[in-house]
Amino acid sequence: MTTDDVGLQPLVARSYLALADVLDPLSDDRWDTPSLCAGWRVREVVAHLTMAARYSERAFLAELRACDFDFSRLSDLIAGRDARLPTAELVANLRREVMHRWTPPDGGHRGALSHVVIHGLDITVPLGVPRLAADEAMVVVLDSLGAEGGARHFGVDLAGRRLEATDLDWSFGAGQPLRGPAEDLVLLLAGRSPMADS
């Protein structure tokens, strides 16, 4: 499995393309399905996920400055505004090369992969679509959320827990076991579902 950050870029691209393929044929009412991101429908999540396809760094910084450098406020503003774009344009943004090579500040391709995989689940789970991310991508994201402490970013405390994926060769931590499919563990670690006993 690729562990080099730059080597993860093809997984990022494949994840965006797989999401585009699922969303492309959906009717408008399916785009209005509530996502796992509170207050956002599928269309807001896609608008958020593809900001880099529509905003240059300069334009983004200008918008961020206008929001007093509050990224959450800016995300809500852009997601709400750009969710009104035609769905064909949002799908086209998912397919753009700029998205496949975009990386978050200080996050590298590992951060970009986590971004698209987690938000991909925010979209596909409510739509009833099986996970799109490859097993390799899921392991990278689980490592980032677990072993690299990323779950703390989402307010999830893993102290005294051992997480074990039932569909992949992945585990983390020590203590009371919590087992489940990789998809469920990602959602738990990303704060989308509560911690529960297996």
Side-chain angles (χ1 to χ4, degrees), residues 144-174:
S144 296
L145 289 169
E148 296 177 18
R152 285 193 302 273
H153 172 77
F154 296 103
V156 177
D157 182 6
L158 299 179
R161 300 305 298 252
R162 175 175 173 78
L163 304 180
E164 299 175 2
T166 55
D167 55 345
L168 298 176
D169 182 17
W170 183 87
S171 62
F172 170 76

Side-chain angles (χ1 to χ4, degrees), residues 7-103:
L8 297 175
Q9 187 274 326
L11 284 176
V12 174
R14 287 200 295 273
S15 297
Y16 275 108
L17 291 172
L19 188 56
D21 288 345
V22 163
L23 294 174
D24 196 12
L26 293 187
S27 61
D28 281 351
D29 64 315
R30 297 277 278 157
W31 278 79
D32 289 331
T33 301
S35 77
L36 298 184
C37 292
W40 284 3
R41 299 164 296 173
V42 166
R43 62 179 68 245
E44 277 86 15
V45 179
V46 178
H48 166 76
L49 191 56
T50 57
M51 286 191 295
R54 296 182 303 280
Y55 296 90
S56 67
E57 184 176 344
R58 184 175 187 166
F60 178 81
L61 288 174
E63 296 242 19
L64 186 58
R65 191 175 300 111
C67 289
D68 297 322
F69 296 95
D70 182 335
F71 182 73
S72 293
R73 183 175 154 203
L74 176 63
S75 291
D76 283 335
L77 174 73
I78 289 178
R81 181 178 65 210
D82 291 3
R84 295 190 292 264
L85 292 169
T87 58
E89 183 174 342
L90 293 172
V91 169
N93 287 168
L94 289 167
R95 291 194 168 117
R96 287 190 57 193
E97 180 74 12
V98 66
M99 289 311 314
H100 305 170
R101 300 204 173 274
W102 171 83
T103 56

